PDB file of all heavy atoms in Angstrom:
ATOM      1  N   THR Z 351     -70.567 -22.958  -7.809  1.00  0.00           N
ATOM      2  CA  THR Z 351     -70.991 -23.058  -6.459  1.00  0.00           C
ATOM      3  C   THR Z 351     -70.593 -21.649  -5.810  1.00  0.00           C
ATOM      4  O   THR Z 351     -69.913 -20.914  -6.423  1.00  0.00           O
ATOM      5  CB  THR Z 351     -70.346 -24.152  -5.740  1.00  0.00           C
ATOM      6  OG1 THR Z 351     -68.882 -24.013  -5.796  1.00  0.00           O
ATOM      7  CG2 THR Z 351     -70.709 -25.499  -6.187  1.00  0.00           C
ATOM      8  N   MET Z 352     -70.911 -21.447  -4.523  1.00  0.00           N
ATOM      9  CA  MET Z 352     -70.676 -20.135  -3.860  1.00  0.00           C
ATOM     10  C   MET Z 352     -69.197 -19.841  -3.892  1.00  0.00           C
ATOM     11  O   MET Z 352     -68.821 -18.779  -4.257  1.00  0.00           O
ATOM     12  CB  MET Z 352     -71.150 -20.221  -2.533  1.00  0.00           C
ATOM     13  CG  MET Z 352     -72.697 -19.811  -2.302  1.00  0.00           C
ATOM     14  SD  MET Z 352     -73.009 -18.195  -3.101  1.00  0.00           S
ATOM     15  CE  MET Z 352     -72.488 -17.041  -1.709  1.00  0.00           C
ATOM     16  N   PRO Z 353     -68.288 -20.752  -3.509  1.00  0.00           N
ATOM     17  CA  PRO Z 353     -66.927 -20.330  -3.452  1.00  0.00           C
ATOM     18  C   PRO Z 353     -66.359 -19.946  -4.978  1.00  0.00           C
ATOM     19  O   PRO Z 353     -65.634 -19.058  -5.141  1.00  0.00           O
ATOM     20  CB  PRO Z 353     -66.113 -21.636  -3.115  1.00  0.00           C
ATOM     21  CG  PRO Z 353     -67.166 -22.334  -2.325  1.00  0.00           C
ATOM     22  CD  PRO Z 353     -68.548 -22.048  -2.981  1.00  0.00           C
ATOM     23  N   VAL Z 354     -66.893 -20.647  -5.948  1.00  0.00           N
ATOM     24  CA  VAL Z 354     -66.549 -20.341  -7.294  1.00  0.00           C
ATOM     25  C   VAL Z 354     -67.091 -18.982  -7.724  1.00  0.00           C
ATOM     26  O   VAL Z 354     -66.360 -18.276  -8.440  1.00  0.00           O
ATOM     27  CB  VAL Z 354     -67.008 -21.441  -8.266  1.00  0.00           C
ATOM     28  CG1 VAL Z 354     -66.629 -21.130  -9.817  1.00  0.00           C
ATOM     29  CG2 VAL Z 354     -66.471 -22.796  -7.957  1.00  0.00           C
ATOM     30  N   LEU Z 355     -68.267 -18.626  -7.246  1.00  0.00           N
ATOM     31  CA  LEU Z 355     -68.908 -17.443  -7.595  1.00  0.00           C
ATOM     32  C   LEU Z 355     -68.104 -16.282  -6.858  1.00  0.00           C
ATOM     33  O   LEU Z 355     -67.833 -15.297  -7.514  1.00  0.00           O
ATOM     34  CB  LEU Z 355     -70.319 -17.379  -7.111  1.00  0.00           C
ATOM     35  CG  LEU Z 355     -71.150 -16.152  -7.117  1.00  0.00           C
ATOM     36  CD1 LEU Z 355     -71.321 -15.665  -8.684  1.00  0.00           C
ATOM     37  CD2 LEU Z 355     -72.335 -16.124  -6.433  1.00  0.00           C
ATOM     38  N   VAL Z 356     -67.778 -16.484  -5.615  1.00  0.00           N
ATOM     39  CA  VAL Z 356     -66.893 -15.487  -5.017  1.00  0.00           C
ATOM     40  C   VAL Z 356     -65.661 -15.241  -5.729  1.00  0.00           C
ATOM     41  O   VAL Z 356     -65.282 -14.037  -5.975  1.00  0.00           O
ATOM     42  CB  VAL Z 356     -66.564 -15.951  -3.520  1.00  0.00           C
ATOM     43  CG1 VAL Z 356     -65.498 -15.041  -2.908  1.00  0.00           C
ATOM     44  CG2 VAL Z 356     -67.811 -16.026  -2.601  1.00  0.00           C
ATOM     45  N   TYR Z 357     -64.983 -16.314  -6.194  1.00  0.00           N
ATOM     46  CA  TYR Z 357     -63.761 -16.185  -6.946  1.00  0.00           C
ATOM     47  C   TYR Z 357     -63.977 -15.415  -8.220  1.00  0.00           C
ATOM     48  O   TYR Z 357     -63.154 -14.457  -8.574  1.00  0.00           O
ATOM     49  CB  TYR Z 357     -63.139 -17.563  -7.155  1.00  0.00           C
ATOM     50  CG  TYR Z 357     -61.938 -17.422  -8.107  1.00  0.00           C
ATOM     51  CD1 TYR Z 357     -60.710 -17.049  -7.692  1.00  0.00           C
ATOM     52  CD2 TYR Z 357     -62.086 -17.770  -9.513  1.00  0.00           C
ATOM     53  CE1 TYR Z 357     -59.612 -17.080  -8.548  1.00  0.00           C
ATOM     54  CE2 TYR Z 357     -61.013 -17.779 -10.393  1.00  0.00           C
ATOM     55  CZ  TYR Z 357     -59.764 -17.374  -9.837  1.00  0.00           C
ATOM     56  OH  TYR Z 357     -58.754 -17.351 -10.739  1.00  0.00           O
ATOM     57  N   THR Z 358     -65.081 -15.695  -8.895  1.00  0.00           N
ATOM     58  CA  THR Z 358     -65.376 -15.016 -10.152  1.00  0.00           C
ATOM     59  C   THR Z 358     -65.633 -13.530  -9.994  1.00  0.00           C
ATOM     60  O   THR Z 358     -65.099 -12.761 -10.759  1.00  0.00           O
ATOM     61  CB  THR Z 358     -66.592 -15.705 -10.758  1.00  0.00           C
ATOM     62  OG1 THR Z 358     -66.449 -17.105 -10.851  1.00  0.00           O
ATOM     63  CG2 THR Z 358     -66.818 -15.335 -12.234  1.00  0.00           C
ATOM     64  N   VAL Z 359     -66.441 -13.292  -9.030  1.00  0.00           N
ATOM     65  CA  VAL Z 359     -66.899 -11.869  -8.722  1.00  0.00           C
ATOM     66  C   VAL Z 359     -65.591 -11.031  -8.309  1.00  0.00           C
ATOM     67  O   VAL Z 359     -65.455  -9.898  -8.670  1.00  0.00           O
ATOM     68  CB  VAL Z 359     -67.888 -11.819  -7.694  1.00  0.00           C
ATOM     69  CG1 VAL Z 359     -68.170 -10.339  -7.315  1.00  0.00           C
ATOM     70  CG2 VAL Z 359     -69.265 -12.372  -8.239  1.00  0.00           C
ATOM     71  N   LEU Z 360     -64.669 -11.714  -7.559  1.00  0.00           N
ATOM     72  CA  LEU Z 360     -63.588 -11.028  -7.070  1.00  0.00           C
ATOM     73  C   LEU Z 360     -62.689 -10.498  -8.188  1.00  0.00           C
ATOM     74  O   LEU Z 360     -62.029  -9.430  -7.989  1.00  0.00           O
ATOM     75  CB  LEU Z 360     -62.641 -12.016  -6.141  1.00  0.00           C
ATOM     76  CG  LEU Z 360     -61.428 -11.490  -5.428  1.00  0.00           C
ATOM     77  CD1 LEU Z 360     -61.979 -10.565  -4.357  1.00  0.00           C
ATOM     78  CD2 LEU Z 360     -60.737 -12.606  -4.823  1.00  0.00           C
ATOM     79  N   GLN Z 361     -62.746 -11.105  -9.408  1.00  0.00           N
ATOM     80  CA  GLN Z 361     -61.979 -10.571 -10.471  1.00  0.00           C
ATOM     81  C   GLN Z 361     -62.135  -9.110 -10.801  1.00  0.00           C
ATOM     82  O   GLN Z 361     -61.164  -8.369 -11.043  1.00  0.00           O
ATOM     83  CB  GLN Z 361     -62.127 -11.511 -11.732  1.00  0.00           C
ATOM     84  CG  GLN Z 361     -62.003 -12.946 -11.528  1.00  0.00           C
ATOM     85  CD  GLN Z 361     -60.613 -13.288 -11.027  1.00  0.00           C
ATOM     86  OE1 GLN Z 361     -59.537 -12.814 -11.515  1.00  0.00           O
ATOM     87  NE2 GLN Z 361     -60.562 -14.151  -9.900  1.00  0.00           N
ATOM     88  N   ASP Z 362     -63.377  -8.666 -10.877  1.00  0.00           N
ATOM     89  CA  ASP Z 362     -63.591  -7.288 -11.179  1.00  0.00           C
ATOM     90  C   ASP Z 362     -64.442  -6.482 -10.118  1.00  0.00           C
ATOM     91  O   ASP Z 362     -64.589  -5.260 -10.303  1.00  0.00           O
ATOM     92  CB  ASP Z 362     -64.247  -7.110 -12.611  1.00  0.00           C
ATOM     93  CG  ASP Z 362     -65.272  -8.231 -12.829  1.00  0.00           C
ATOM     94  OD1 ASP Z 362     -66.116  -8.489 -11.949  1.00  0.00           O
ATOM     95  OD2 ASP Z 362     -65.147  -8.782 -13.969  1.00  0.00           O
ATOM     96  N   ASP Z 363     -64.968  -7.073  -9.090  1.00  0.00           N
ATOM     97  CA  ASP Z 363     -65.623  -6.256  -8.112  1.00  0.00           C
ATOM     98  C   ASP Z 363     -65.353  -6.814  -6.589  1.00  0.00           C
ATOM     99  O   ASP Z 363     -66.177  -7.545  -6.055  1.00  0.00           O
ATOM    100  CB  ASP Z 363     -67.179  -6.397  -8.332  1.00  0.00           C
ATOM    101  CG  ASP Z 363     -67.965  -5.324  -7.441  1.00  0.00           C
ATOM    102  OD1 ASP Z 363     -67.318  -4.752  -6.546  1.00  0.00           O
ATOM    103  OD2 ASP Z 363     -69.121  -5.300  -7.611  1.00  0.00           O
ATOM    104  N   PRO Z 364     -64.116  -6.548  -6.069  1.00  0.00           N
ATOM    105  CA  PRO Z 364     -63.749  -7.148  -4.765  1.00  0.00           C
ATOM    106  C   PRO Z 364     -64.830  -6.780  -3.733  1.00  0.00           C
ATOM    107  O   PRO Z 364     -64.996  -7.660  -2.868  1.00  0.00           O
ATOM    108  CB  PRO Z 364     -62.458  -6.388  -4.522  1.00  0.00           C
ATOM    109  CG  PRO Z 364     -61.882  -6.019  -5.808  1.00  0.00           C
ATOM    110  CD  PRO Z 364     -63.060  -5.639  -6.672  1.00  0.00           C
ATOM    111  N   ALA Z 365     -65.389  -5.648  -3.746  1.00  0.00           N
ATOM    112  CA  ALA Z 365     -66.392  -5.338  -2.652  1.00  0.00           C
ATOM    113  C   ALA Z 365     -67.620  -6.306  -2.690  1.00  0.00           C
ATOM    114  O   ALA Z 365     -68.054  -6.822  -1.718  1.00  0.00           O
ATOM    115  CB  ALA Z 365     -66.927  -3.866  -2.875  1.00  0.00           C
ATOM    116  N   ALA Z 366     -68.097  -6.615  -3.966  1.00  0.00           N
ATOM    117  CA  ALA Z 366     -69.097  -7.600  -4.022  1.00  0.00           C
ATOM    118  C   ALA Z 366     -68.771  -8.952  -3.512  1.00  0.00           C
ATOM    119  O   ALA Z 366     -69.500  -9.661  -2.929  1.00  0.00           O
ATOM    120  CB  ALA Z 366     -69.556  -7.646  -5.476  1.00  0.00           C
ATOM    121  N   ALA Z 367     -67.446  -9.283  -3.831  1.00  0.00           N
ATOM    122  CA  ALA Z 367     -66.912 -10.640  -3.408  1.00  0.00           C
ATOM    123  C   ALA Z 367     -66.875 -10.640  -1.804  1.00  0.00           C
ATOM    124  O   ALA Z 367     -67.339 -11.734  -1.304  1.00  0.00           O
ATOM    125  CB  ALA Z 367     -65.600 -10.895  -3.930  1.00  0.00           C
ATOM    126  N   ARG Z 368     -66.657  -9.580  -1.261  1.00  0.00           N
ATOM    127  CA  ARG Z 368     -66.695  -9.531   0.221  1.00  0.00           C
ATOM    128  C   ARG Z 368     -68.095  -9.766   0.765  1.00  0.00           C
ATOM    129  O   ARG Z 368     -68.282 -10.467   1.695  1.00  0.00           O
ATOM    130  CB  ARG Z 368     -66.039  -8.197   0.774  1.00  0.00           C
ATOM    131  CG  ARG Z 368     -64.558  -8.116   0.617  1.00  0.00           C
ATOM    132  CD  ARG Z 368     -63.971  -7.081   1.490  1.00  0.00           C
ATOM    133  NE  ARG Z 368     -64.301  -5.705   0.923  1.00  0.00           N
ATOM    134  CZ  ARG Z 368     -63.630  -5.048   0.089  1.00  0.00           C
ATOM    135  NH1 ARG Z 368     -62.501  -5.565  -0.439  1.00  0.00           N
ATOM    136  NH2 ARG Z 368     -63.974  -3.835  -0.244  1.00  0.00           N
ATOM    137  N   GLY Z 369     -69.002  -9.093   0.183  1.00  0.00           N
ATOM    138  CA  GLY Z 369     -70.426  -9.276   0.499  1.00  0.00           C
ATOM    139  C   GLY Z 369     -70.834 -10.715   0.380  1.00  0.00           C
ATOM    140  O   GLY Z 369     -71.443 -11.227   1.318  1.00  0.00           O
ATOM    141  N   LEU Z 370     -70.498 -11.320  -0.715  1.00  0.00           N
ATOM    142  CA  LEU Z 370     -70.928 -12.754  -0.951  1.00  0.00           C
ATOM    143  C   LEU Z 370     -70.276 -13.580   0.078  1.00  0.00           C
ATOM    144  O   LEU Z 370     -70.891 -14.588   0.596  1.00  0.00           O
ATOM    145  CB  LEU Z 370     -70.468 -13.134  -2.282  1.00  0.00           C
ATOM    146  CG  LEU Z 370     -71.343 -12.581  -3.526  1.00  0.00           C
ATOM    147  CD1 LEU Z 370     -70.670 -12.971  -4.838  1.00  0.00           C
ATOM    148  CD2 LEU Z 370     -72.729 -13.075  -3.389  1.00  0.00           C
ATOM    149  N   SER Z 371     -69.047 -13.313   0.402  1.00  0.00           N
ATOM    150  CA  SER Z 371     -68.256 -14.055   1.419  1.00  0.00           C
ATOM    151  C   SER Z 371     -68.939 -14.109   2.764  1.00  0.00           C
ATOM    152  O   SER Z 371     -69.169 -15.089   3.397  1.00  0.00           O
ATOM    153  CB  SER Z 371     -66.865 -13.630   1.582  1.00  0.00           C
ATOM    154  OG  SER Z 371     -66.176 -13.676   0.332  1.00  0.00           O
ATOM    155  N   VAL Z 372     -69.461 -12.837   3.079  1.00  0.00           N
ATOM    156  CA  VAL Z 372     -70.145 -12.722   4.355  1.00  0.00           C
ATOM    157  C   VAL Z 372     -71.425 -13.619   4.377  1.00  0.00           C
ATOM    158  O   VAL Z 372     -71.815 -14.227   5.353  1.00  0.00           O
ATOM    159  CB  VAL Z 372     -70.502 -11.241   4.638  1.00  0.00           C
ATOM    160  CG1 VAL Z 372     -71.459 -11.122   5.769  1.00  0.00           C
ATOM    161  CG2 VAL Z 372     -69.249 -10.471   5.008  1.00  0.00           C
ATOM    162  N   LEU Z 373     -72.137 -13.466   3.261  1.00  0.00           N
ATOM    163  CA  LEU Z 373     -73.328 -14.272   3.124  1.00  0.00           C
ATOM    164  C   LEU Z 373     -73.036 -15.882   3.335  1.00  0.00           C
ATOM    165  O   LEU Z 373     -73.767 -16.516   4.081  1.00  0.00           O
ATOM    166  CB  LEU Z 373     -73.957 -14.154   1.707  1.00  0.00           C
ATOM    167  CG  LEU Z 373     -74.843 -12.833   1.520  1.00  0.00           C
ATOM    168  CD1 LEU Z 373     -75.200 -12.806  -0.020  1.00  0.00           C
ATOM    169  CD2 LEU Z 373     -75.916 -12.856   2.467  1.00  0.00           C
ATOM    170  N   MET Z 374     -71.925 -16.235   2.672  1.00  0.00           N
ATOM    171  CA  MET Z 374     -71.682 -17.634   2.743  1.00  0.00           C
ATOM    172  C   MET Z 374     -71.275 -17.997   4.151  1.00  0.00           C
ATOM    173  O   MET Z 374     -71.773 -19.179   4.671  1.00  0.00           O
ATOM    174  CB  MET Z 374     -70.491 -17.955   1.871  1.00  0.00           C
ATOM    175  CG  MET Z 374     -70.438 -19.443   1.438  1.00  0.00           C
ATOM    176  SD  MET Z 374     -69.102 -19.625   0.367  1.00  0.00           S
ATOM    177  CE  MET Z 374     -68.961 -21.424   0.608  1.00  0.00           C
ATOM    178  N   MET Z 375     -70.518 -17.191   4.767  1.00  0.00           N
ATOM    179  CA  MET Z 375     -70.012 -17.461   6.157  1.00  0.00           C
ATOM    180  C   MET Z 375     -71.256 -17.521   7.100  1.00  0.00           C
ATOM    181  O   MET Z 375     -71.419 -18.395   7.894  1.00  0.00           O
ATOM    182  CB  MET Z 375     -69.112 -16.281   6.610  1.00  0.00           C
ATOM    183  CG  MET Z 375     -68.235 -16.629   7.716  1.00  0.00           C
ATOM    184  SD  MET Z 375     -66.780 -15.563   7.857  1.00  0.00           S
ATOM    185  CE  MET Z 375     -67.510 -14.082   8.494  1.00  0.00           C
TER     186      MET Z 375
END
Side-chain angles (χ1 to χ4, degrees):
Chain Z
T351 57
M352 274 305 278
V354 179
L355 176 66
V356 170
Y357 172 79
T358 310
V359 171
L360 188 65
Q361 305 303 313
D362 36 46
D363 189 356
R368 286 197 289 274
L370 289 173
S371 299
V372 167
L373 280 178
M374 201 180 160
M375 204 159 75

